[in-house]
Amino acid sequence: MTSVRPYIFTLSIAFSWGFCAYAMANESIPSHCKENEVAFFNARFESKIASLCGDQKTEPLKKMIYRYGAIGKIEINLVASTQNKAGIVLQSDGASHTGLASIRFYKLPYAYEVSEGLGMTTGVRLTIFKNEKPVASFKSEEYESRLVEINFDKVSSPIFQRASPLQPW
């Protein structure tokens, strides 16, 4: 595993090779993104919302923020920047033509991982790790995502660095 930096969060997106589509669009999902930010991901986990907010619509991104909590009451606010890079991971399975791409933020000793299923997998999952072991997991079918616009094959934004998976796919 690459060196762990404070405030690194993991966001994962599963996809099918040869089939690339936007995740379920759901306009009713609120967002923690501010007016001058671009929402790359919003999902409802029970009464809380997870959001990934970028500084612009296309790469190279200079900043991405993970926010989690009830609307108006953010519990977690983690920023990926050139000083606190987020890890990205790309895993694939050629036999099933699926894969998993991750963006990872840590707030030691915790890591937060959001996984999005595309292709044959649907919904999203938020998994919380403590000392790299899963301690909680939440699933949702209520989400919207633009993560397919991030290049997981090659690091194109200075806020990302290659990382090893916390949990093999």
Side-chain angles (χ1 to χ4, degrees), residues 104-166:
R104 179 179 301 145
F105 291 78
Y106 290 95
K107 183 173 183 179
L108 297 177
Y110 294 94
Y112 304 86
E113 181 176 280
V114 177
S115 302
E116 177 185 0
L118 297 176
M120 296 168 36
T121 307
T122 62
V124 294
R125 180 181 69 233
L126 171 60
T127 306
I128 302 167
F129 296 87
K130 183 176 183 183
N131 297 320
E132 299 187 9
K133 296 188 184 328
V135 294
S137 185
F138 308 94
K139 293 181 181 180
S140 178
E141 293 292 331
E142 295 181 72
Y143 65 97
E144 59 187 12
S145 178
R146 296 180 56 202
L147 292 178
V148 296
E149 296 176 24
I150 295 173
N151 186 349
F152 288 96
D153 293 316
K154 178 182 176 189
V155 177
S156 3
S157 293
I159 63 169
F160 300 133
Q161 66 183 8
R162 286 268 173 232
S164 300
L166 282 177

Side-chain angles (χ1 to χ4, degrees), residues 8 19 26 32 45-46 83 90 106 120 136 138 140 161 163 165:
I8 300 182
F19 177 78
N26 189 332
H32 292 298
F45 294 97
E46 298 174 1
Q83 293 79 29
L90 180 62
Y106 290 95
M120 296 168 36
F138 308 94
S140 178
Q161 66 183 8

Side-chain angles (χ1 to χ4, degrees), residues 89-102:
V89 178
L90 180 62
Q91 301 178 74
S92 64
D93 179 357
S96 65
H97 305 287
T98 59
L100 187 69
S102 304

Side-chain angles (χ1 to χ4, degrees), residues 48-122:
K48 309 224 173 145
I49 302 296
S51 296
L52 267 182
C53 312
D55 63 329
Q56 55 191 30
K57 289 182 181 183
T58 59
E59 289 190 276
L61 301 171
K62 295 179 185 121
K63 185 165 80 169
M64 181 171 274
I65 303 129
Y66 168 72
R67 295 184 181 110
Y68 175 83
I71 293 299
K73 189 175 181 186
I74 295 171
E75 297 172 25
I76 300 170
N77 187 75
L78 304 174
V79 179
S81 66
T82 55
Q83 293 79 29
N84 286 316
K85 295 185 182 215
I88 61 171
V89 178
L90 180 62
Q91 301 178 74
S92 64
D93 179 357
S96 65
H97 305 287
T98 59
L100 187 69
S102 304
I103 302 174
R104 179 179 301 145
F105 291 78
Y106 290 95
K107 183 173 183 179
L108 297 177
Y110 294 94
Y112 304 86
E113 181 176 280
V114 177
S115 302
E116 177 185 0
L118 297 176
M120 296 168 36
T121 307
T122 62

